Amino acid sequence: MDPNLHLADWLGRRVAIEIDRPLGATHPREADILYEVNYGFVPGTLAPDGHPIDAYVLDAAEPLERCEATVIAIVRRRDDVEDKLVAVLDPNSAWDAAGIAAAVDFQERFFDSWLECP
């Protein structure tokens, strides 16, 4: 678990995200994983893997290059060195834990992960 990610510090925060794996892209090392949401990173941050903190962007209907989104949850991984932010373009959109878990399952099913949300 990433000790630097505390939900209270990130929840509701609007962040700039650079998308390096847009909606519909194939995973760079696993050809059978297709990104069902936009996935990127928050520039200027640092995760335990030495790269910026990663983020899922859930509510975009098209591939993005960058965006500003509001953090609504954190995906915690017990079997990885880093956790992931979960963000939405529309801060008024209604996502519950089950909906978030379903949206990120395309990748999180390969990890021992759980969702931290309010």
Side-chain angles (χ1 to χ4, degrees):
M1 180 186 307
D2 182 349
N4 300 315
L5 290 184
H6 301 284
L7 186 61
D9 295 338
W10 290 94
L11 188 64
R13 187 170 158 190
R14 195 90 173 146
V15 294
I17 300 173
E18 293 287 327
I19 305 297
D20 56 357
R21 298 178 194 170
L23 174 68
T26 302
H27 190 280
R29 293 180 304 279
E30 302 292 336
D32 59 334
I33 299 176
L34 186 70
Y35 280 82
E36 297 178 12
V37 300
N38 286 282
Y39 181 82
F41 59 92
V42 180
T45 60
L46 188 63
D49 67 352
H51 298 283
I53 297 170
D54 294 323
Y56 291 102
V57 180
L58 302 187
D59 59 346
E62 60 190 36
L64 302 173
E65 291 182 13
R66 64 189 55 80
C67 67
E68 287 209 4
T70 302
V71 176
I72 61 169
I74 296 175
V75 172
R76 302 287 187 186
R77 290 181 173 175
R78 293 178 188 94
D79 56 352
D80 195 8
V81 297
E82 62 176 323
D83 299 323
K84 314 293 180 181
L85 298 176
V86 179
V88 292
L89 299 175
D90 178 2
N92 297 314
S93 61
W95 285 86
D96 62 10
I100 296 168
V104 300
D105 184 66
F106 73 94
Q107 181 166 256
E108 292 306 316
R109 69 177 175 240
F110 300 107
F111 295 91
D112 181 10
S113 64
W114 58 280
L115 190 64
E116 183 180 0
C117 56

